[in-house]
Amino acid sequence: MFFRWRTMFYIASVPGVVLALGMEFAVDSPRWLCKVGMLNDAKAVIGNLWGESEVDKAIQEFQSVIKNDGSDLDSQWLELLEEPHSRVTFIGGALFMLQQFAGINGVLYFSSLTFQDVGITDGALPSLFVGITNFAGALCASYLMDKQGRKQLLIGSYTGMAVSMFLVVCAISLPLDEDLGHNLSILGTLLYMFSFAIGAGPVTGLIIPELSSSRTRGKIMGFSFCVHWVCNFMVGLFFLDLVEMFGVAPVYAGFGGVSLLSALFAYYFIVETKGRSLEEIEMSMNSNYQAGDK
């Protein structure tokens, strides 16, 4: 056992080392280069990344946003209460709150509990399937993100999570054949993880900075991730107590209900950002830009 946990930590350190080495080959952000006056360097990066035909348009958009927004170092936390920043702050906090209360960490941390409740005592193999499914979903998300759009992926993801939770509830609550109940529970859990991985997980972390202005992006992300970790902590703290009080089926039914609420929230509040630059998104959400363009 002593050897196993050490080996696990050694393996977990490998991605961090690879990422640190890979960052040595990353280029500076053209937006930052433009902000500090290094226009030639910014043009070179834009030309390499997006093509020479996009250089002039991108530089013009960068300079327009910088001129209107000012520096992010000059922004204040109270600006998050003002439009248009308050709208994005609300969306960011709500998205992360709904993401956590939809039960992802309850299902991920305690997935073996679901299988045990329907009579599957060996949780190692199902947990392995959960991890593989999560990875497969993330690969699909990387392909679908710019094909289907952020909003559509969020709606589809949360709808799939709701259906998955109700499948697990049926497997636990209904008087089904034992083998059918086992298979339905496994199917529901794996479908839940896959649905989360293609939308609710990656899109939530991507769309908030896309919607944020350059002036307040750091503060909005800081606030949103604070909400994320507080809700994460609450789910981890109270999940087992809730299961002990009410049982797995009612708790998972609650997760399914929150997932449906999240799909509705995405439908009514999320702005599609697919195929649009950060500057285009910011100008469309800020009335000051729109007024200046007329």
Side-chain angles (χ1 to χ4, degrees):
M1 182 64 67
F2 179 76
F3 173 76
R4 288 180 180 177
W5 75 260
R6 282 182 174 272
T7 303
M8 179 180 67
F9 280 2
Y10 290 146
I11 294 174
S13 68
V14 173
V17 173
V18 173
L19 180 61
L21 294 175
M23 288 302 296
E24 293 296 323
F25 301 95
V27 297
D28 289 321
S29 166
R31 293 175 177 84
W32 178 83
L33 292 172
C34 190
K35 181 180 292 187
V36 298
M38 302 172 64
L39 292 182
N40 291 333
D41 292 336
K43 291 178 180 179
V45 173
I46 295 169
N48 290 332
L49 293 177
W50 304 331
E52 294 295 334
S53 62
E54 297 292 326
V55 171
D56 292 337
K57 177 184 175 183
I59 292 295
Q60 184 178 0
E61 290 179 349
F62 294 165
Q63 291 177 332
S64 175
V65 169
I66 293 170
K67 179 180 178 180
N68 283 275
D69 268 0
S71 171
D72 54 348
L73 297 177
D74 299 329
S75 64
Q76 303 295 324
W77 281 98
L78 290 177
E79 292 183 33
L80 300 188
L81 302 177
E82 304 172 358
E83 285 289 349
H85 312 306
S86 59
R87 179 185 178 189
V88 182
T89 303
F90 166 72
I91 291 174
L95 275 180
F96 271 122
M97 181 181 69
L98 291 170
Q99 180 202 67
Q100 293 303 304
F101 288 157
I104 177 58
N105 285 306
V107 176
L108 183 62
Y109 296 158
F110 309 107
S111 58
S112 59
L113 191 65
T114 303
F115 299 99
Q116 292 175 6
D117 203 71
V118 294
I120 302 176
T121 57
D122 183 8
L125 188 59
S127 296
L128 176 62
F129 288 153
V130 166
I132 294 175
T133 303
N134 193 21
F135 178 70
L139 291 180
C140 292
S142 64
Y143 173 77
L144 294 174
M145 198 80 72
D146 290 319
K147 297 289 185 181
Q148 301 298 322
R150 282 73 156 137
K151 183 174 182 177
Q152 187 172 344
L153 275 183
L154 273 178
I155 295 172
S157 173
Y158 279 118
T159 302
M161 290 165 63
V163 172
S164 305
M165 286 291 92
F166 294 140
L167 280 178
V168 176
V169 170
C170 290
I172 296 173
S173 303
L174 298 181
L176 302 175
D177 176 77
E178 183 177 1
D179 290 338
L180 177 60
H182 291 178
N183 293 333
L184 197 62
S185 178
I186 294 174
L187 174 64
T189 301
L190 296 182
L191 181 60
Y192 176 90
M193 293 303 305
F194 184 81
S195 298
F196 175 86
I198 65 172
V203 173
T204 301
L206 176 65
I207 199 169
I208 298 172
E210 287 184 335
L211 293 175
S212 305
S213 72
S214 59
R215 179 177 177 84
T216 57
R217 183 170 293 123
K219 290 180 172 59
I220 290 175
M221 289 302 297
F223 168 79
S224 300
F225 275 107
C226 282
V227 173
H228 169 273
W229 287 113
V230 168
C231 295
N232 184 315
F233 173 77
M234 292 177 63
V235 171
L237 182 64
F238 295 112
F239 177 78
L240 290 179
D241 292 335
L242 292 174
V243 168
E244 185 175 352
M245 291 174 59
F246 303 107
V248 174
V251 173
Y252 275 28
F255 289 159
V258 175
S259 297
L260 284 179
L261 179 62
S262 303
L264 291 173
F265 179 87
Y267 180 81
Y268 286 107
F269 288 95
I270 297 301
V271 177
E272 184 55 70
T273 60
K274 181 188 73 170
R276 305 168 69 189
S277 69
L278 298 178
E279 288 70 31
E280 290 173 339
I281 298 168
E282 183 171 347
M283 291 177 185
S284 69
M285 297 188 68
N286 193 330
S287 59
N288 292 332
Y289 291 110
Q290 294 171 350
D293 292 339
K294 294 179 180 179

